[in-house]
Amino acid sequence: MRLRLPGMSRSDRARWRAARSIDDLAQLTALWLEGRITSHPGVMPHCGPDDETTSLVPVLALANRAGYLTDNSQPGIAETGFDGRWWEQRAAVTGWVRRDRAGIDLVNRIVAAADAAGLIVCADSHRTGIPVTRADGHIQTGFGAQQSTRDLRAIWPARLIHRDLFRQLEGAIHLTVADPEYGRDSLLWDVLAQALSTPPAPATEPAITEPALYVLVGPAGSGKSTVAARRFPTGAALELDAFRALAAGTPADQSATPAAVTAFDAILTARLERGLLTVLDATHAEARHRRKYTVLAHQHGMRAIAVVADTPTAECQRRNAMRPDDRRVPPRILRAQARQAAALRAKDDGFDAVLRARDLDSTP
C-alpha cells in the first residue's frame, strides 16, 4: 500500500503564491517561524523549525520582519553526536536582503555590528561559503556559497513561488554572519538582535502635521497602517485592533469589540479635547462609522479629514491572502469593504477635506 503524505494546505499555498517580493517572503517566513502558518516551501509540509532553532525564533522573526529573509541558521553547539563523533557548530545565519537603498542600509547596520563584535561576515556569495559545521575536525557544511537558479528553485519550489521572485533573489545581497568560535552561542544572536532593533534614522519628516482628525478609509490590505506610520507623527494613530488585543489578548476576538470601542472612543475624545492631531486606523467602510467621527471632531472644534487608501482590490486581496488566519478577512467581506469605501461621499459624511493615501506616500 502506498502512503500519501499530507501536502501544504490550500491557505498556505495561497499565501506563498501571493508573495511578489523578498519582503513578502520574509514576512511569511517570520509567521512560519512563530507557528502562525503551518508550512514553508523549503520544509516538509506541516512541519515547523527544527528543535535546535526554537531558542532562535525571536531573533530570526525579527530579522525577517526587518527585511533579512533568512534561509538557514543554527546555534553554536559542541557535543558528541548520535554517531559517536564530536560535532561542532558555529552559530550562523544566512539569507537574502533586497538590493536597494533600504536593503543596503539594513546590511550596513548588520555588518557594522558584526564587525565590531569580531564576527565573520560574508555580504554577497562566494564560491565555497563559510564553514559552519565539522565532525571530528572535518568540515561538513558551510553557509553563504554561491547559488545558481537551480539551487534557488530547490529551496523555493517554482510551483509555490512566483517566477519574478527568482530574479529578485538572484539580484539580492546574499548575507551570511557566523561566529568564528565553534560551540559558542552567546554572541551572534545578541549582536544581530541589537543591530535589528536599532531603527535607522528617519529619511523624512511626517508629511502631515496640521492638528485635525484624520480618518483612514479603505478595505483590509489597502496599506492604511503603512501610511499612518510613515506620514503622520509617531503616536498619533489609534487602531481598533490594538484596543481589541488589549481587551482580549488577540485582535481577532470580535467578542471584545464593544469593550475595545468604549476604550477607543474615550482615548479619542481625550485627544480631541486637547486639540491633538489624531489618525483613526480602521476600514471605516460604512458611512455611519465615518459620520460618528466627523460629528465628534466638529463638536471639539477640530477639522475632519478623510484619508482614502484606494489600492486596487486585487492587490488588497493578494496582501490579505498572505496574512495569518487570525488576521485574514474573508474575500467576500473585503470586496464589500472596497465597494463601500469607493462609495465615500465626503460632504455627506461631514468631512472638511479628502486626501489620497497614494499622494501622501509619494511625498518626498
Side-chain angles (χ1 to χ4, degrees):
M1 179 178 178
R2 185 178 179 183
L3 296 177
R4 184 174 181 180
L5 297 175
M8 186 180 288
S9 68
R10 181 179 299 176
S11 60
D12 280 354
R13 285 199 306 272
R15 288 184 179 103
W16 291 102
R17 287 172 176 166
R20 292 295 183 272
S21 68
I22 290 175
D23 277 359
D24 286 348
L25 292 179
Q27 299 305 314
L28 290 172
T29 297
L31 294 174
W32 171 76
L33 285 163
E34 295 167 337
R36 299 177 65 191
I37 61 176
T38 58
S39 297
H40 188 283
V43 179
M44 184 178 294
H46 306 286
C47 290
D50 294 338
D51 290 342
E52 73 172 15
T53 306
T54 300
S55 64
L56 310 182
V57 164
V59 68
L60 292 176
L62 178 66
N64 279 277
R65 290 203 168 91
Y68 183 12
L69 171 60
T70 60
D71 163 46
N72 214 337
S73 62
Q74 63 182 36
I77 293 175
E79 62 187 16
T80 301
F82 70 93
D83 56 0
R85 293 191 291 173
W86 183 248
W87 285 84
E88 298 171 291
Q89 289 184 175
R90 284 169 162 163
V93 61
T94 187
W96 298 272
V97 180
R98 66 188 189 275
R99 197 181 296 273
D100 59 13
R101 179 174 177 178
I104 292 171
D105 286 346
L106 174 62
V107 169
N108 287 339
R109 285 159 54 199
I110 295 173
V111 170
D115 283 344
L119 299 174
I120 302 171
V121 181
C122 174
D124 277 331
S125 307
H126 52 71
R127 184 174 299 175
T128 59
I130 300 170
V132 295
T133 305
R134 63 189 182 190
D136 288 340
H138 299 288
I139 295 173
Q140 302 294 311
T141 60
F143 282 1
Q146 187 174 2
Q147 294 177 328
S148 65
T149 303
R150 183 175 181 179
D151 295 328
L152 292 173
R153 289 180 181 271
I155 299 168
W156 302 98
R159 69 183 184 280
L160 297 172
I161 301 299
H162 194 275
R163 61 183 179 275
D164 290 345
L165 283 172
F166 293 105
R167 288 193 291 273
Q168 292 184 40
L169 289 168
E170 286 177 321
I173 301 169
H174 196 187
L175 178 65
T176 303
V177 185
D179 193 318
E181 183 177 322
Y182 282 93
R184 181 169 63 181
D185 199 44
S186 58
L187 180 61
L188 185 150
W189 311 112
D190 288 343
V191 171
L192 185 59
Q194 185 174 0
L196 294 167
S197 300
T198 304
T204 60
E205 293 297 319
I208 304 297
T209 57
E210 177 195 350
L213 178 64
Y214 297 86
V215 181
L216 288 162
V217 181
S222 58
K224 300 182 299 298
S225 297
T226 299
V227 170
R230 286 181 179 174
R231 294 305 181 184
F232 290 91
T234 301
L238 300 181
E239 185 179 7
L240 185 58
D241 278 354
F243 283 84
R244 195 180 289 116
L246 287 172
T250 170
D253 188 346
Q254 296 298 320
S255 68
T257 298
V261 169
T262 298
F264 182 95
D265 287 351
I267 296 298
L268 170 59
T269 300
R271 290 184 64 86
L272 293 177
E273 288 174 348
R274 290 162 175 78
L276 298 176
L277 183 158
T278 303
V279 184
L280 303 188
D281 185 1
T283 58
H284 300 117
E286 295 186 44
R288 61 189 178 92
H289 294 150
R290 300 191 292 263
R291 290 174 190 141
K292 169 186 173 180
Y293 293 120
T294 58
V295 168
L296 189 61
H298 294 153
Q299 287 175 347
H300 290 86
M302 298 282 283
R303 294 211 316 151
I305 300 174
V307 181
V308 180
D310 49 1
T311 303
T313 304
E315 175 61 13
C316 295
Q317 294 282 25
R318 186 190 72 79
R319 296 173 183 174
N320 183 58
M322 293 177 56
R323 292 178 169 181
D325 290 338
D326 63 353
R327 292 194 60 236
R328 198 185 324 154
V329 176
R332 61 180 179 79
I333 293 179
L334 191 151
R335 289 192 295 270
Q337 290 175 348
R339 288 194 300 270
Q340 290 172 318
L344 169 72
R345 298 292 181 268
K347 185 175 293 187
D348 292 344
D349 291 343
F351 287 110
D352 300 292
V354 177
L355 300 174
R356 299 289 169 182
R358 63 175 179 269
D359 296 332
L360 291 181
D361 211 30
S362 62
T363 303

